[in-house]
Amino acid sequence: DVNFGRKHNKNAHTELAPFHYASLEGLSVADYNLRNILVEKVMRRGTFTGLVEDIFYHDDIYRDPTSLITFIQNEHVSVEFDYSLVPEDKLDYELRKWKSLYTVMWLARGIPMLFQGEEVMFQLGRPVTDESLCLTKHSYFGSELDDDQHLRATKTHDMFKHIKRLNNVRRKYPALRRGKLTDAKEVNHSRALQFKRVLDENSNSSVFVGITLDASWTFQIPHLGYARTVDEWSYCVVPLDRS
């Protein structure tokens, strides 16, 4: 149900009261609302518009937003884009938008879920055909994980390296795994997003996160008195526990 957890959505099935289940202890729900915003706004329009107002501002309906399952693809949704229609000179920009999607999933609240094939953007540039669907049961998925030879090639893919780097950053800062998301704001005409992840209100264990759709952007970090420009990966993570 795409309305799962959305108590202010009048189209939700009231007899199921999906937001009720989202408030139960020990039960994680799939965050379709975040997924839909990421696909519709970030991927299709190149903007973060709606992420803060329509998603993060309503996290109070969940008992624990950090336990939400965040995703782009799963067995119930098809791959959204036929990259064979994208001009070659635009592929770098499309890749940057894809990276921004996964950066939000990995660094904002929730538990990111990767669907088989996303680490190589499925079969980038190949058209979806009846044959490919019959063979793989899913658009674009190929044999990139089937054997050592394919796996070695997979590990050189830009998206694979991007997700691996996000894993390392998430592992380094506990606040990115269990911290509350606060101070979320869209900047640069909603082409950049910034927020804090605070692990414990009574401690200094927190980080500032900045994510941009552009090749470069400089974030003004509150209370630290300096700015931080994103690196080649189009995001920055800055620890705020300065002593």
Side-chain angles (χ1 to χ4, degrees):
D1 189 334
V2 296
N3 296 313
F4 205 98
R6 213 52 193 280
K7 71 177 179 181
H8 59 286
N9 191 318
K10 296 179 180 179
N11 295 320
H13 301 293
T14 54
E15 68 274 13
L16 295 178
F19 57 87
H20 165 72
Y21 297 100
S23 67
L24 297 178
E25 184 175 7
L27 179 64
S28 297
V29 299
D31 195 349
Y32 275 87
N33 298 300
L34 176 62
R35 182 260 176 197
N36 292 341
I37 285 285
L38 289 176
V39 169
E40 180 63 29
K41 299 297 179 67
V42 179
M43 200 66 239
R44 292 179 178 159
R45 303 184 186 181
T47 175
F48 287 119
T49 302
L51 263 178
V52 175
E53 182 176 351
D54 295 337
I55 302 297
F56 298 145
Y57 276 1
H58 299 284
D59 276 355
D60 61 329
I61 67 175
Y62 302 106
R63 181 183 182 91
D64 180 9
T66 65
S67 69
L68 288 168
I69 305 301
T70 58
F71 67 98
I72 298 297
Q73 307 291 344
N74 68 14
E75 67 275 15
H76 300 300
V77 295
S78 62
V79 176
E80 294 288 339
F81 309 99
D82 186 347
Y83 277 98
S84 63
L85 303 178
V86 178
E88 186 173 350
D89 62 344
K90 299 293 185 182
L91 283 177
D92 284 345
Y93 176 63
E94 296 298 324
L95 178 61
R96 187 157 61 247
K97 288 195 295 185
W98 266 93
K99 287 180 178 179
S100 296
L101 291 178
Y102 293 101
T103 302
V104 173
M105 284 173 52
W106 255 252
L107 303 185
R109 84 291 185 274
I111 303 169
M113 180 185 73
L114 196 68
F115 192 74
Q116 188 177 26
E118 287 184 86
E119 69 288 331
V120 291
M121 299 177 69
F122 300 94
Q123 295 184 23
L124 178 64
R126 301 181 189 178
V128 179
T129 65
D130 291 340
E131 181 181 6
S132 68
L133 290 173
C134 289
L135 288 174
T136 66
K137 309 303 180 186
H138 198 280
S139 307
Y140 281 84
F141 177 63
S143 57
E144 282 79 1
L145 302 177
D146 285 354
D147 52 48
D148 290 343
Q149 180 179 355
H150 284 100
L151 188 57
R152 283 194 296 271
T154 293
K155 290 181 177 180
T156 66
H157 195 282
D158 280 348
M159 185 57 71
F160 183 97
K161 291 188 287 187
H162 182 65
I163 293 172
K164 182 177 180 180
R165 190 172 188 264
L166 288 172
N167 276 335
N168 291 335
V169 172
R170 188 177 167 92
R171 185 181 300 114
K172 180 178 180 180
Y173 299 108
L176 292 176
R177 303 192 299 273
R178 301 187 301 276
K180 181 180 179 180
L181 190 149
T182 67
D183 302 298
K185 182 167 62 173
E186 297 162 16
V187 295
N188 190 24
H189 306 289
S190 293
R191 293 189 55 78
L193 175 72
Q194 65 183 56
F195 52 84
K196 287 169 56 179
R197 298 292 305 278
V198 181
L199 184 61
D200 184 349
E201 294 289 353
N202 298 318
S203 73
N204 291 321
S205 184
S206 61
V207 295
F208 171 91
V209 177
I211 306 169
T212 179
L213 286 161
D214 295 320
S216 64
W217 176 252
T218 300
F219 289 94
Q220 303 291 330
I221 303 178
H223 310 303
L224 285 187
Y226 69 94
R228 177 68 179 267
T229 303
V230 297
D231 58 17
E232 61 180 299
W233 301 87
S234 296
Y235 70 88
C236 64
V237 176
V238 181
L240 299 178
D241 47 344
R242 304 283 177 173
S243 56

